[in-house]
Amino acid sequence: MSSTHFDIAIIGAGAAGLHLAMAIRKEPFFKNKRILILEKSAKDQNDRTWCFWEKGEGLWDSFLTKSWQHGHFFSEEKSIALSLAPYSYKMIKSIDFYNHAQKEIASSTNIEWVNDHILSVETRTTIYIQGQKADYSAEYVFDSRIPENFFQAKDKYTRLLQHFKGWVIRTEDDAFDPEQFTLMDFRQLWPETTSFTYVLPLNKREALVEFTLFSSALLKDTDYEGMLSGYVSDILKLKKYEIVEQEQGVIPMSDFPFDKYSHGKHIRIGTGGGWVKPSTGYSFKNCERNARKIVENLKLGKQADQGLISEKFRLYDSLFLDVLNRRNELGPQLFETMYSKIPVQKIFSFLDDQTSFAEDLVIMTKFPSRQFTHSFIKYVSRLWNM
């Protein structure tokens, strides 16, 4: 590099960092700006699967792994058919997204990718970044690292985990309907938890089967394996299959104010910026929307992260998380209520933070009020004592 100073530095080349880099690349406003991407790994492995819903065609349709417009929700008592139109539920392998993004970035003359592990970020008149290999500076820094306070603080915020393990299984004979997916299946539960399995058929003989929990404690690896094995044999009724891929992960589900750790032109993004939907763990479309919003803000001379977080929907997420934290065993009942009483299109719009307050009130009346009233009183008390 001829200089260590950049107009914009992006720390982390995950979903958030790459969405932002590609949004900047497409905007002529930034064609004379120097952009730096700092990432400690090569991003050459398929380390996760992203799923999301959207209407019609999307930016990433050319390399989707699969998409569906029909699916099912299962509880112990009910089987609910889901017809998603005009939405589709879409799946992308991370390696395909990484490859696409790196190809675009490599074709850009004003974006540089540097593999380095970042040790610290310090704001003076400009922002200084200390890496293991070199030091850098930038006018704006977009930082996907999770603030240390999230791990250290003993505070009043709710902290749950979405933790999961998945198998891509292959069968000798046709076993799946590739046009139907299972969004949530609560017929096999880890005791006293909100836990479910989802099934994403890739073709008639392959599917991703993933066991997921929304809870405070991780399981032993053998426990995830046992739940997956039990689901495949007892629910899917498969006796002969091959595990061809595996994935495992942990996503924080918290009302911790990640965005409050953005200061001036040092902006937190991704999980570190609160872009993961606290009540669901979905993040991919949030990254796309927020990257686009940041680009528009910069063009208009506004604060870069203005308007990214909705306080109204943050409240809803906080209440839902508090109920799950206090009464984790109620999760299956709450999700059954949601999918049996509310059209799936309205659920998706609500989870995308797109509904009006009047629409929100209609949705809220579908849920049992006692637990949420308790959580609301607790939330107000927390604000009062801050």
Side-chain angles (χ1 to χ4, degrees):
M1 292 181 293
S2 59
S3 170
T4 59
H5 185 75
F6 295 82
D7 295 288
I8 294 173
I10 299 171
I11 300 175
L18 293 178
H19 270 291
L20 182 56
M22 287 188 286
I24 288 171
R25 176 187 174 275
K26 293 177 181 178
E27 177 51 58
F29 179 83
F30 299 98
K31 67 179 181 180
N32 295 320
K33 305 292 186 181
R34 293 193 68 201
I35 315 299
L36 172 67
I37 298 172
L38 292 162
E39 167 57 47
K40 61 183 178 182
S41 67
K43 290 297 181 183
D44 57 0
Q45 302 293 319
N46 187 54
D47 53 12
R48 67 196 67 210
T49 299
W50 286 302
C51 292
F52 57 96
W53 53 81
E54 64 182 354
K55 295 180 181 179
E57 295 182 1
L59 294 176
W60 324 111
D61 284 3
S62 63
F63 55 91
L64 288 179
T65 305
K66 191 76 172 68
S67 68
W68 303 265
Q69 282 200 316
H70 299 280
H72 283 88
F73 172 95
F74 295 98
S75 68
E76 289 186 313
E77 304 295 332
K78 295 183 179 181
S79 170
I80 302 170
L82 304 174
S83 182
L84 277 55
Y87 287 93
S88 295
Y89 193 78
K90 302 182 178 183
M91 172 185 179
I92 286 181
K93 290 185 177 181
S94 61
I95 187 61
D96 295 327
F97 183 72
Y98 298 152
N99 288 340
H100 173 82
Q102 290 187 71
K103 184 177 179 180
E104 283 203 358
I105 290 165
S107 69
S108 303
T109 58
N110 64 328
I111 302 179
E112 298 186 42
W113 179 303
V114 176
N115 288 114
D116 200 352
H117 176 63
I118 302 309
L119 303 175
S120 65
V121 176
E122 181 181 348
T123 301
R124 304 178 207 164
T125 53
T126 190
I127 306 176
Y128 290 88
I129 306 166
Q130 181 186 9
Q132 281 186 338
K133 297 179 180 179
D135 295 336
Y136 319 88
S137 65
E139 296 301 314
Y140 284 92
V141 172
F142 295 94
D143 191 346
S144 63
R145 299 172 305 152
I146 296 176
E148 287 296 323
N149 294 58
F150 176 75
F151 303 103
Q152 298 172 355
K154 300 295 183 182
D155 53 36
K156 54 184 77 73
Y157 299 104
T158 303
R159 287 172 171 80
L160 290 175
L161 300 171
Q162 179 180 155
H163 46 116
F164 53 88
K165 182 160 189 174
W167 292 343
V168 175
I169 61 174
R170 180 181 296 152
T171 60
E172 293 181 359
D173 301 314
D174 293 351
F176 306 105
D177 179 352
E179 302 308 315
Q180 300 268 354
F181 77 107
T182 298
L183 181 63
M184 303 178 98
D185 189 338
F186 287 97
R187 288 177 291 178
Q188 180 178 272
L189 297 171
W190 189 256
E192 299 300 306
T193 68
T194 298
S195 52
F196 58 92
T197 306
Y198 63 85
V199 182
L200 303 179
L202 306 178
N203 53 57
K204 292 182 178 181
R205 298 186 182 185
E206 284 188 328
L208 171 62
V209 182
E210 195 144 294
F211 178 64
T212 301
L213 300 95
F214 296 170
S215 64
S216 58
L218 301 179
L219 305 184
K220 297 177 182 178
D221 193 58
T222 52
D223 293 330
Y224 299 104
E225 299 272 345
M227 295 300 288
L228 283 167
S229 178
Y231 185 87
V232 172
S233 61
D234 298 339
I235 304 297
L236 297 182
K237 306 297 184 183
L238 298 177
K239 302 304 179 185
K240 296 178 65 177
Y241 59 90
E242 175 188 5
I243 301 170
V244 295
E245 292 182 37
Q246 299 189 52
E247 67 176 32
Q248 191 162 3
V250 181
I251 301 170
M253 301 174 69
S254 176
D255 59 357
F256 180 84
F258 292 99
D259 59 301
K260 303 304 182 187
Y261 289 83
S262 293
H263 300 289
K265 295 181 178 181
H266 179 198
I267 309 298
R268 300 284 181 172
I269 64 172
T271 303
W275 292 13
V276 174
K277 181 73 171 173
S279 57
T280 65
Y282 284 97
S283 63
F284 190 83
K285 285 296 289 186
N286 284 345
C287 291
E288 181 184 321
R289 284 188 287 264
N290 288 349
R292 188 165 57 242
K293 181 66 174 176
I294 286 173
V295 165
E296 289 302 311
N297 285 342
L298 291 175
K299 286 171 57 181
L300 295 173
K302 297 180 179 180
Q303 174 65 21
D305 58 346
Q306 182 176 325
L308 297 188
I309 303 295
S310 165
E311 293 300 329
K312 179 183 75 166
F313 287 99
R314 170 178 281 169
L315 166 62
Y316 301 158
D317 286 328
S318 183
L319 299 182
F320 190 77
L321 283 178
D322 186 69
V323 172
L324 287 186
N325 189 47
R326 291 184 295 103
R327 298 289 306 276
N328 197 244
E329 77 283 0
L330 292 181
Q333 175 190 335
L334 294 176
F335 281 105
E336 179 185 319
T337 298
M338 179 186 295
Y339 283 96
S340 63
K341 295 186 176 182
I342 306 169
V344 66
Q345 293 83 359
K346 189 61 67 177
I347 295 171
F348 286 171
S349 181
F350 179 74
L351 295 178
D352 281 339
D353 299 358
Q354 300 296 314
T355 48
S356 67
F357 185 63
E359 292 172 311
D360 301 339
L361 287 178
V362 172
I363 291 172
M364 291 175 194
T365 61
K366 307 298 183 183
F367 290 94
S369 61
R370 180 181 176 185
Q371 294 298 332
F372 287 93
T373 300
H374 179 102
S375 294
F376 182 72
I377 293 171
K378 181 178 176 181
Y379 181 88
V380 172
S381 176
R382 185 177 80 187
L383 292 180
W384 184 263
N385 292 309
M386 289 182 69

